[in-house]
Amino acid sequence: MSKTKYVVQLCTSCGREAKMEIIGSIVGSETKTWYRCTRCRHSILIDSELQKKNNPLAVTRDSCINYSPEKEFHIGEAIYHSDWDDMGTVKSKERTSNGGNAIWVSFEKNGLKKLIENLPQD
Ligand SMILES: [Zn+2]
């Protein structure tokens, strides 16, 4: 079995999506793998464990709570905004000047947005 394996992902060296040749993983830390970019020929070490934690794209639609201003959210929760068709993670909470509650959400497409939460219903 000498067939070379490739994956397409972002190369941190040339900054583009490129076909990466899998060179091998590090013994004793199997989540870390060496890749060689077929564009710039640089070898880069990717820690899939770390990538999972830092990559907001790891948020799946199924794990998201549908956003609605009447709901209350918690830091770290994944939410889905149906109007924007966007997923994000709650980063912090804030009390607004009129005594209401707001959350700061880091969205995949729209970036950091402030949304109303826990809105009292009439
Ligand atoms: Zn590259």
Side-chain angles (χ1 to χ4, degrees), residues 11 13-14 37 39-40:
C11 171
S13 182
C14 60
C37 177
R39 276 183 195 270
C40 67

Side-chain angles (χ1 to χ4, degrees), residues 21-27 32-36 44-46:
E21 182 187 338
I22 298 170
I23 304 168
S25 46
I26 292 179
V27 179
K32 290 179 186 152
T33 310
W34 280 104
Y35 295 91
R36 189 187 292 122
I44 59 164
L45 183 66
I46 294 173

